[in-house]
């Protein structure tokens, strides 16, 4: 999956929100700066990024590429 273009999300629903929430939790647990769905075996254009707004205060950001973009 890492070398393939991920599929766009057709509908941002509760399952995509849960995916993003779980990815944020995993990223924060591992002290990561970002995580894409295909890195965890899911073929979807979903990514989370740890954006540092204030020093040492993490602020996770989730992005989803849906069919409208």
């Amino acid at each position: 999956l890492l070398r393939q273009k991920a599929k766009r999300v057709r509908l941002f629903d509760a399952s995509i929100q849960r995916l993003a929430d779980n990815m944020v939790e995993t990223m924060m647990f591992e002290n990561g700066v970002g995580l894409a769905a295909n890195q965890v075996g899911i073929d979807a254009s979903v990514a989370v990024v740890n954006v540092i707004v204030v020093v040492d205060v993490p602020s996770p950001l989730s992005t989803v590429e849906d069919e409208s973009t």
Side-chain angles (χ1 to χ4, degrees), residues 19-20 22-28 30 32-40 46-50 61-63:
L19 171 62
N22 289 338
M23 289 171 56
V24 166
E25 184 178 330
T26 299
M27 177 186 67
M28 300 303 282
E30 296 293 336
V33 294
L35 185 62
N38 61 347
Q39 291 177 291
V40 293
V46 177
V48 296
V49 180
N50 190 2
L61 168 72
S62 300
T63 64

